[in-house]
Amino acid sequence: MSQRFVVTPAGGGVENPDPAAAPDPPRVDAMPILHYGREPSRYAGDGQSRESSPIINNGDMERESFFEGKNMALFEEEMDSNPMVSSLLNKLANYTNLSQGVVEHEEAEESRRREVKNPGMGTFIGVYLPCLQNILGVILFLRLTWIVGVAGVLESFLIVFMCCTCTMLTAISMSAIATNGVVPAGGSYYMISRSLGPEFGGAVGLCFYLGTTFAGAMYILGTIEIFLTYISPGASIIHAQSPDGEAVAMLHNMRVYGTCTLVLMAMVVFVGVKYVNKLALVFLACVVLSILAIYAGVIKTAFDPPDIPVCLLGNRTLSRRNFDVCAKVLTTNNGTVTTALWGLFCNNSMPSAICDEYFAQNNLTEIQGIPGVASGVFLDNLWSVYTDKGVFVEKQGTPSVPVPEESKSSKLPYVLTDIMTYFTMLVGIYFPSVTGIMAGSNRSGDLRDAQKSIPTGTILAIVTTSFIYLSCIMLFGACIEGVILRDKFGEALQGNLVIGMLAWPSPWVIVIGSFFSTCGAGLQSLTGAPRLLQAIARDGIVPFLQVFGHGKANGEPTWALLLTALICEIGILIASLDSVAPILSMFFLMCYMFVNLACAVQTLLRTPNWRPRFRYYHWTLSFLGMSLCLALMFICSWYYALFAMLIAGCIYKYIEYRGAEKEWGDGIRGLSLNAARYALLRVEHGTLHTKNWRPQVLVMLNLDSEQCVKHPRLLSFTTQLKAGKGLTIVGSVLEGTYLDKHAEAQQAEENIRSLMGIEKTKGFCQLVVSSNLRDGMSHLIQSAGLGGMKHNTVLMAWPGSWKEEDNPFSWKNFVDTVRDTTAAQQALLVAKNVDLFPQNQERFSDGHIDVWWIVHDGGLLMLLPFLLRQHKVWRKCRMRIFTVAQVDDNSIQMKKDLQTFLYHLRISAEVEVVEMVENDISAFTYEKTLVMEQRSQMLKQMQLSKTEREREAQLIHDRNTASHSVVAARTRAPSTPDKVQMTWTKEKLIAEKLKNKDTNISGFKDLFSLKPEWGNLNQSNVRRMHTAVKLNGVVLNKSQDAQLVLLNMPGPPKNRQGDENYMEFLEVLTEGLNRVLLVRGSGREVITIYS
């Protein structure tokens, strides 16, 4: 009986205060369905529109809005992003766990919510029976007796115990994951992917899909084997021409019938899954009846063993397909008559015929194939009997006369082994019989209480099936003769199923029951595998699988079913049940291993969201289960295990490289965070050794008005320099306040990340909103990075607009940034003409990377070209190192020392020492210095008022015009030689350098007479300009055609009054060069000759 309550408005505004006069308010059932929408007008408590609401009628609209405005006015601005608690709780309470890939259910969601939902399935029907049906199957009926006969009771018990322990530990881990929140359809795939991330989830999900598909092939092969071997042996289409070809003919028949059965089953699944689900109980009933018949037969053997004679020749078992009487001759009234068996071993039916030597020297005996529980045969079956292929099935302890050099002719009616047997192979064949433990978790959407039913039902099913398997091993060993157990196809029993002969009341109970159960299991596999593939495809983590996410109008996975059928056909073409079983064992074991890993990772990480309702788990159990799964993979088949791991690894890397980015709160991400924290704490202590030093770069990007990157080539260069190694932080600064600019900041960050993806720059993006660019860049330099993972190098572009009047302070920001990096003991790289730098797709087929090593500040100049040449853009460029010798230096010795130094550094480069002799300062240098100081004076006046600024600029312009006219007049006078160049051009620079170096003092004084202003210049600036001009000339002469020039970057002046002059020095120093990288070291050694 449902509880009811009355809904009445709270607060003021009641029109009728008299309760007696008020009509009875309408009653509604508890837990009304809420339709929470973003529009405030739709916050209805009953899920109905305002017009039809039984609580508030049409005349109450104003009062309703009044209530909304008063009751929650404090939170009204947050309603669009934060739902009301009542609405949130209602959505959770009415959550429907739909199976993935069924569109028709999703379209009917609203109508389903309005219906009274029937109670879901309980533990017994919803989890226990499906797991029982999936676990008990073809191996139990067709191979378990043979495994007991070959491995013996003890080793068979060990095999079953290991496999059941593995599934039990996996079930414990799975129960913990399944009860840690709601598990939608997708079962194990969903649990693994959401716990370990899309890469592991996709890889293991596809492996689980392949395992389920090959399981379908195994069940179909089992169905055909039962049909052709035990139900209708005469239905074979392909017949053997000789007894030697019977095995090959049988494989061909399996392929033909298996393919036809697969097509038929695929059509049934395509037409309608509901028919498969309706038949599931019938198939389950067949399994249960078959198992009950086995136990009934065992009980019957205790007091009435069946009469099933087995014919032995010596100690060899004979196939009883072509004879009835186990005797060589029969005595009749007319004398002695040879039997059909005589004719098989002798060349004619006469007593004097020539017979097989072993047949002649050994006697025929007849024993009971199923002597019963009380016979004592249990002790004979304790130990293993492993053999090679084609060996006689012999009874241990029975005397026989051996015959030398005997040929094992297939014409003789012996029972021979069909494959070589050993312990690990039997593990691989048996393990599929314990799979199927995920059946309950796959049905979580249909359960009344999934978090209670999945652990209980799954563990009870495993306990039940483990008891069945272990008891069957003991009972088979106690009831059945060893040679019959090792007779895989029942040839000694006239082609009857061994386990069927044990059953009561008839062998046909087992034969028909096993036939229908394997057929049903095959249909279930062909139903489940396409949906699993569809779930993976619709997650979008594997791009090339997206086509398999589509299906029919009702959502049935048509394309996924087609692919499943094709893969299943591969397993059918293998045609051998014993060969297919280890393949699917690998895939299931890998899936179970990662379920255990997921539980162990989540438990060890102790993430706040890890709160399973199932309490009986521990990380040691999960780790033990994972280890056991891995061990069983290599025990079954080491090459299959490596192949399965290779497939999973390839899928993992593919998803990592091409797959969509997904954030599922997975444990691997948490594990990465924990590992990162541990590593950061480790690198925090102690200084970094020189051998481990590499440039950890902070890239300073400039953004335009639309928040796009101005110089994308800077990121290209970063990629070429880093090649994905070490730390890269891409930073930028927005001017303003964060409250006003947070939207622009998000857009800018998205643009930067997008460009990083295009340029394949692996690193982190850090954007700062600051009141001005200067402070923002300083904040980035100080605070970017975390702990020991901080940048040690700053990379930025040269401010090309520093001379423009509309951007008067870009040079100041730049110079202050240089000072900040020096104070922080960080290296600085400045890329000039960065838009001319190559993109990642370009390749230099030839050329040089020239290093101009003027001063030593840690060896960064040597290291950068080496790192660049690791990238394919610069790989074919040769490295040249230039150094400058002064007058007092021995240039020859300098070259030898530098070559030795490079040899010890293991860096191959051409070495050249450039001699720079002292000469007089040219008129060109004075003119450049004058123009520089005049510009500096003008820039200082930028802070004046507009009128004063215009007047000052006009005065400077007039002064420059007058001085140029005077100079021009004097240079035209015949008394002055035409050697003084007043304007910068390349040709005039070359002419300036070719002047006579021995200019006398009087000629030098004539320069000052030409332009009196030169005498008032700051001599320090003149000397610096002289150095810049001369060094630029030398660099241009040697490296004008180089692909990249690396130069020592001089430091800014200590006196801040000359900052604008510093920019001019750098401009002159790099004038005329295409690509320049100015390098300023941090002061510490970054390269060493020692190992």
Side-chain angles (χ1 to χ4, degrees):
M1 181 177 179
S2 64
Q3 295 180 351
R4 296 178 177 271
F5 61 87
V6 177
V7 180
T8 58
V14 180
E15 295 179 355
N16 190 359
D18 186 4
D24 291 337
R27 292 176 175 269
V28 295
D29 284 338
M31 205 60 194
I33 301 174
L34 296 181
H35 286 279
Y36 167 71
R38 293 301 183 193
E39 303 86 357
S41 62
R42 293 189 60 199
Y43 283 87
D46 57 355
Q48 302 184 35
S49 63
R50 299 302 188 193
E51 291 76 17
S52 59
S53 172
I55 308 302
I56 303 172
N57 57 27
N58 296 342
D60 293 335
M61 293 299 291
E62 295 181 0
R63 184 180 61 173
E64 173 198 345
S65 60
F66 174 77
F67 289 151
E68 286 188 351
K70 293 295 183 184
N71 293 341
M72 289 296 167
L74 184 61
F75 300 96
E76 60 185 6
E77 293 185 357
E78 300 180 18
M79 289 296 186
D80 286 341
S81 58
N82 301 330
M84 293 284 294
V85 173
S86 58
S87 177
L88 176 65
L89 293 176
N90 180 77
K91 289 176 72 67
L92 293 176
N94 289 278
Y95 176 76
T96 55
N97 210 344
L98 303 177
S99 58
Q100 297 182 24
V102 185
V103 176
E104 60 184 1
H105 295 315
E106 296 171 2
E107 293 173 349
E109 182 179 358
E110 291 299 324
S111 62
R112 283 191 174 192
R113 285 183 175 179
R114 292 188 175 92
E115 297 174 358
V116 178
K117 189 175 179 181
N118 293 326
M121 293 184 292
T123 302
F124 185 75
I125 298 294
V127 179
Y128 180 76
L129 290 182
C131 286
L132 214 64
Q133 180 187 1
N134 280 268
I135 294 173
L136 299 172
V138 62
I139 301 296
L140 171 64
F141 300 118
L142 296 184
R143 292 292 182 269
L144 191 58
T145 54
W146 173 71
I147 290 173
V148 174
V150 173
V153 174
L154 293 179
E155 293 187 24
S156 300
F157 194 92
L158 177 62
I159 291 172
V160 175
F161 183 77
M162 279 197 309
C163 296
C164 292
T165 303
C166 175
T167 54
M168 177 60 78
L169 293 172
T170 304
I172 292 172
S173 299
M174 183 195 71
S175 299
I177 298 174
T179 58
N180 187 51
V182 182
V183 178
S188 60
Y189 161 69
Y190 184 91
M191 289 188 292
I192 295 171
S193 61
R194 268 57 178 180
S195 297
L196 293 179
E199 294 87 1
F200 277 112
V204 182
L206 285 175
C207 286
F208 189 54
Y209 162 74
L210 292 174
T212 308
T213 305
F214 275 103
M218 184 188 74
Y219 291 131
I220 293 174
L221 290 175
T223 304
I224 303 306
E225 183 177 313
I226 294 171
F227 177 73
L228 291 178
T229 307
Y230 306 114
I231 296 178
S232 179
S236 298
I237 298 174
I238 301 171
H239 299 281
Q241 300 297 325
S242 64
D244 293 331
E246 287 183 357
V248 177
M250 182 64 179
L251 292 179
H252 289 323
N253 283 307
M254 297 275 282
R255 293 184 180 104
V256 173
Y257 275 97
T259 302
C260 296
T261 307
L262 173 63
V263 172
L264 184 62
M265 286 185 175
M267 290 176 63
V268 171
V269 174
F270 178 77
V271 169
V273 181
K274 56 184 179 180
Y275 302 112
V276 179
N277 294 330
K278 287 180 180 179
L279 291 173
L281 282 177
V282 177
F283 299 140
L284 178 60
C286 293
V287 175
V288 173
L289 288 175
S290 300
I291 292 172
L292 292 177
I294 294 171
Y295 282 111
V298 170
I299 295 172
K300 182 177 177 294
T301 62
F303 53 86
D304 185 17
D307 183 21
I308 303 174
V310 177
C311 188
L312 299 179
L313 177 61
N315 64 352
R316 299 176 185 176
T317 311
L318 296 182
S319 174
R320 208 156 188 165
R321 291 181 183 272
N322 300 318
F323 68 93
D324 294 325
V325 180
C326 183
K328 296 182 180 180
V329 293
L330 290 177
T331 304
T332 63
N333 295 331
N334 297 328
T336 303
V337 180
T338 57
T339 62
L341 191 58
W342 180 280
L344 294 173
F345 281 93
C346 303
N347 59 356
N348 59 56
S349 59
M350 299 301 293
S352 60
I354 300 174
C355 296
D356 180 76
E357 187 176 356
Y358 187 85
F359 178 77
Q361 296 188 17
N362 288 273
N363 296 323
L364 288 167
T365 56
E366 211 170 41
I367 62 172
Q368 285 299 320
I370 303 180
V373 177
S375 63
V377 74
F378 181 80
L379 295 177
D380 298 333
N381 293 329
L382 277 178
W383 312 110
S384 60
V385 185
Y386 297 120
T387 57
D388 290 330
K389 181 180 179 180
V391 175
F392 300 110
V393 176
E394 299 176 338
K395 178 173 172 54
Q396 304 296 317
T398 301
S400 68
V401 179
V403 176
E405 299 181 2
E406 181 184 10
S407 63
K408 299 175 183 177
S409 173
S410 58
K411 296 180 180 179
L412 300 178
Y414 290 121
V415 179
L416 303 175
T417 58
D418 63 330
I419 57 174
M420 186 174 73
T421 54
Y422 43 92
F423 178 81
T424 57
M425 185 266 289
L426 295 181
V427 175
I429 292 176
Y430 172 76
F431 187 82
S433 64
V434 297
T435 59
I437 62 174
M438 302 290 185
S441 63
N442 291 344
R443 298 166 183 254
S444 58
D446 301 322
L447 299 175
R448 186 184 306 119
D449 186 358
Q451 299 196 0
K452 177 183 176 183
S453 297
I454 289 177
T456 307
T458 304
I459 292 175
L460 281 179
I462 293 175
V463 170
T464 304
T465 53
S466 300
F467 172 77
I468 291 173
Y469 282 126
L470 293 172
S471 62
C472 282
I473 286 174
M474 307 297 289
L475 295 175
F476 292 163
C479 294
I480 306 175
E481 182 62 50
V483 291
I484 299 302
L485 290 172
R486 293 192 293 278
D487 184 4
K488 183 187 290 186
F489 301 108
E491 295 180 32
L493 305 177
Q494 296 180 337
N496 290 314
L497 184 62
V498 174
I499 197 172
M501 300 303 290
L502 176 64
W504 181 86
S506 169
W508 286 102
V509 175
I510 297 293
V511 173
I512 300 301
S514 61
F515 177 80
F516 281 111
S517 69
T518 52
C519 185
L523 278 172
Q524 293 283 357
S525 296
L526 288 179
T527 304
R531 277 157 179 73
L532 179 59
L533 180 62
Q534 188 183 48
I536 298 172
R538 289 194 168 183
D539 260 347
I541 57 176
V542 185
F544 71 84
L545 289 181
Q546 289 185 358
V547 66
F548 299 107
H550 307 295
K552 294 192 293 185
N554 62 352
E556 294 298 321
T558 308
W559 292 107
L561 176 62
L562 181 61
L563 179 65
T564 302
L566 291 176
I567 298 175
C568 194
E569 177 65 17
I570 296 174
I572 289 174
L573 291 177
I574 297 174
S576 172
L577 188 69
D578 301 324
S579 300
V580 173
I583 297 176
L584 63 101
S585 294
M586 292 301 115
F587 293 123
F588 278 118
L589 278 167
M590 182 169 291
C591 176
Y592 296 165
M593 180 177 71
F594 280 99
V595 169
N596 285 294
L597 175 64
C599 182
V601 167
Q602 296 279 23
T603 307
L604 290 173
L605 287 179
R606 299 176 182 175
T607 52
N609 190 53
W610 180 246
R611 302 184 300 273
R613 288 190 178 276
F614 181 76
R615 298 294 183 186
Y616 307 103
Y617 70 94
H618 195 266
W619 69 268
T620 53
L621 295 178
S622 300
F623 187 78
L624 180 62
M626 182 184 68
S627 305
L628 188 56
C629 288
L630 186 62
L632 284 175
M633 285 178 67
F634 284 92
I635 285 174
C636 294
S637 174
W638 64 269
Y639 45 89
Y640 277 161
L642 291 177
F643 184 68
M645 295 172 76
L646 178 64
I647 291 177
C650 292
I651 298 170
Y652 178 95
K653 295 305 291 183
Y654 176 81
I655 296 174
E656 186 181 50
Y657 179 67
R658 292 292 303 275
E661 288 290 335
K662 299 285 183 181
E663 178 49 62
W664 288 333
D666 51 88
I668 291 298
R669 187 173 179 83
L671 189 65
S672 301
L673 290 173
N674 264 20
R677 183 185 66 86
Y678 175 77
L680 284 172
L681 291 174
R682 286 289 303 272
V683 300
E684 178 75 10
H685 305 291
T687 57
L688 189 68
H689 194 275
T690 302
K691 290 186 291 185
N692 294 327
W693 195 95
R694 67 167 60 245
Q696 318 285 12
V697 181
L698 170 62
V699 186
M700 306 290 277
L701 294 180
N702 295 324
L703 303 175
D704 58 19
S705 58
E706 296 181 355
Q707 317 308 331
C708 294
V709 178
K710 285 185 178 179
H711 304 293
R713 298 287 181 97
L714 200 61
L715 282 181
S716 303
F717 182 73
T718 305
T719 303
Q720 297 156 22
L721 179 65
K722 300 291 292 179
K725 303 295 190 299
L727 176 69
T728 301
I729 302 174
V730 181
S732 187
V733 180
L734 279 182
E735 280 192 283
T737 60
Y738 185 71
L739 290 178
D740 298 332
K741 293 284 187 177
H742 68 275
E744 288 93 335
Q746 290 180 353
Q747 181 61 44
E749 193 164 343
E750 289 179 8
N751 294 340
I752 293 174
R753 289 187 190 279
S754 175
L755 184 62
M756 289 173 67
I758 295 172
E759 298 294 344
K760 298 180 180 179
T761 305
K762 296 181 179 179
F764 308 98
C765 177
Q766 189 165 349
L767 193 134
V768 171
V769 180
S770 179
S771 57
N772 58 73
L773 289 176
R774 166 73 189 93
D775 290 342
M777 296 178 76
S778 178
H779 295 158
L780 272 179
I781 292 172
Q782 294 177 60
S783 61
L786 179 65
M789 287 296 287
K790 289 183 67 68
H791 61 279
N792 54 30
T793 304
V794 177
L795 171 62
M796 58 191 303
W798 173 261
S801 60
W802 73 274
K803 290 185 178 181
E804 297 177 6
E805 293 186 4
D806 58 348
N807 193 14
F809 297 109
S810 64
W811 58 271
K812 189 166 184 58
N813 292 336
F814 175 81
V815 178
D816 286 341
T817 303
V818 176
R819 286 197 174 97
D820 285 344
T821 57
T822 304
Q825 295 183 336
Q826 296 171 3
L828 177 65
L829 310 178
V830 179
K832 193 164 185 283
N833 301 327
V834 68
D835 294 328
L836 299 178
F837 276 55
Q839 291 181 314
N840 293 327
Q841 296 77 20
E842 298 181 32
R843 304 286 183 273
F844 287 132
S845 58
D846 197 10
H848 296 92
I849 299 177
D850 286 356
V851 177
W852 284 86
W853 193 19
I854 311 301
V855 294
H856 178 65
D857 54 359
L860 186 57
L861 275 170
M862 308 288 186
L863 188 60
L864 290 176
F866 170 78
L867 296 176
L868 280 175
R869 291 181 70 239
Q870 308 301 310
H871 197 274
K872 47 195 171 186
V873 173
W874 305 91
R875 189 164 295 157
K876 295 185 178 180
C877 293
R878 296 183 300 277
M879 181 176 168
R880 296 190 300 189
I881 296 182
F882 298 91
T883 188
V884 176
Q886 301 298 326
V887 176
D888 299 334
D889 294 330
N890 185 342
S891 58
I892 298 176
Q893 188 62 39
M894 280 181 66
K895 184 173 183 179
K896 290 181 180 179
D897 293 342
L898 183 54
Q899 288 174 337
T900 304
F901 181 58
L902 291 177
Y903 174 78
H904 288 303
L905 288 177
R906 290 90 62 200
I907 294 177
S908 58
E910 300 175 25
V911 175
E912 186 170 345
V913 177
V914 178
E915 296 180 349
M916 287 185 62
V917 296
E918 292 289 341
N919 58 1
D920 297 330
I921 301 175
S922 64
F924 168 75
T925 301
Y926 279 103
E927 180 64 17
K928 289 290 290 184
T929 308
L930 177 62
V931 173
M932 177 187 72
E933 292 196 353
Q934 288 173 345
R935 173 180 289 277
S936 174
Q937 186 66 24
M938 184 176 66
L939 290 173
K940 289 177 181 178
Q941 300 299 324
M942 288 294 183
Q943 298 177 358
L944 302 175
S945 65
K946 183 178 180 181
T947 306
E948 292 173 331
R949 202 161 50 235
E950 291 176 353
R951 185 170 61 250
E952 187 71 19
Q954 186 62 41
L955 290 174
I956 294 173
H957 179 268
D958 294 343
R959 189 186 312 146
N960 286 340
T961 304
S963 62
H964 277 293
S965 61
V966 172
V967 171
R970 293 187 179 182
T971 51
R972 285 194 299 268
S975 60
T976 306
D978 193 13
K979 292 183 181 181
V980 181
Q981 309 295 339
M982 303 302 178
T983 310
W984 165 256
T985 63
K986 179 180 176 182
E987 292 78 15
K988 293 180 180 180
L989 171 65
I990 297 173
E992 186 73 27
K993 291 200 294 280
L994 295 178
K995 288 194 310 178
N996 186 6
K997 297 179 182 179
D998 298 328
T999 306
N1000 53 29
I1001 298 176
S1002 61
F1004 186 70
K1005 291 181 178 179
D1006 288 340
L1007 292 176
F1008 291 104
S1009 65
L1010 290 175
K1011 205 165 190 181
E1013 295 93 333
W1014 291 355
N1016 300 324
L1017 294 176
N1018 187 317
Q1019 293 304 307
S1020 175
N1021 289 339
V1022 173
R1023 289 195 305 274
R1024 292 184 181 185
M1025 183 64 73
H1026 176 63
T1027 303
V1029 169
K1030 285 200 63 179
L1031 194 54
N1032 176 259
V1034 173
V1035 174
L1036 271 179
N1037 185 36
K1038 298 287 185 179
S1039 302
Q1040 191 169 12
D1041 297 328
Q1043 304 291 6
L1044 179 65
V1045 177
L1046 283 81
L1047 273 168
N1048 277 118
M1049 181 178 178
K1054 294 181 179 180
N1055 182 8
R1056 292 176 180 266
Q1057 301 299 321
D1059 286 354
E1060 62 277 7
N1061 299 337
Y1062 174 69
M1063 298 296 293
E1064 190 73 44
F1065 295 145
L1066 295 181
E1067 191 75 63
V1068 172
L1069 179 64
T1070 57
E1071 195 92 34
L1073 297 172
N1074 291 330
R1075 303 182 192 93
V1076 183
L1077 186 67
L1078 294 171
V1079 180
R1080 182 164 173 78
S1082 62
R1084 66 159 291 169
E1085 292 292 334
V1086 301
I1087 195 167
T1088 178
I1089 63 174
Y1090 300 104
S1091 61

